[in-house]
Amino acid sequence: MATCANCKAFFMIEEKYDDYEPGKGDCVHEKSDKKGKWWDAKPVMKDMEACKEFMPKA
Ligand code: SF4
């Protein structure tokens, strides 16, 4: 089963940050429109089952 930990969008939260929890990360997606670019982030756990937007790490 693919998990968030194997996805290019997954970034582990480091211990130095207030929202650190073991296994917790951010799912980050780059978005853009005619005004510019931004990044959407939501909290996820590394062992969560991958979603439809899963992008396997090379
Ligand atoms: S929620 Fe989906 S897109 Fe985000 S890290 Fe997990 S598998 Fe990847």
Side-chain angles (χ1 to χ4, degrees):
M1 175 187 85
T3 62
C4 288
N6 306 119
C7 179
K8 280 186 196 169
F10 181 78
F11 296 88
M12 203 72 160
I13 295 171
E14 295 176 35
E15 278 189 63
K16 63 184 176 183
Y17 296 113
D18 289 346
D19 55 345
Y20 169 79
E21 279 176 40
K24 188 176 177 186
D26 285 320
C27 165
V28 180
H29 286 269
E30 186 179 305
K31 308 277 180 171
S32 64
D33 65 14
K34 60 186 179 202
K35 289 193 222 159
K37 249 192 224 182
W38 71 95
W39 286 265
D40 278 348
K42 66 177 180 186
V44 291
M45 300 304 286
K46 70 180 175 72
D47 294 332
M48 281 172 53
E49 189 173 351
C51 77
K52 294 193 303 263
E53 295 181 273
F54 177 69
M55 297 177 285
K57 286 181 178 169

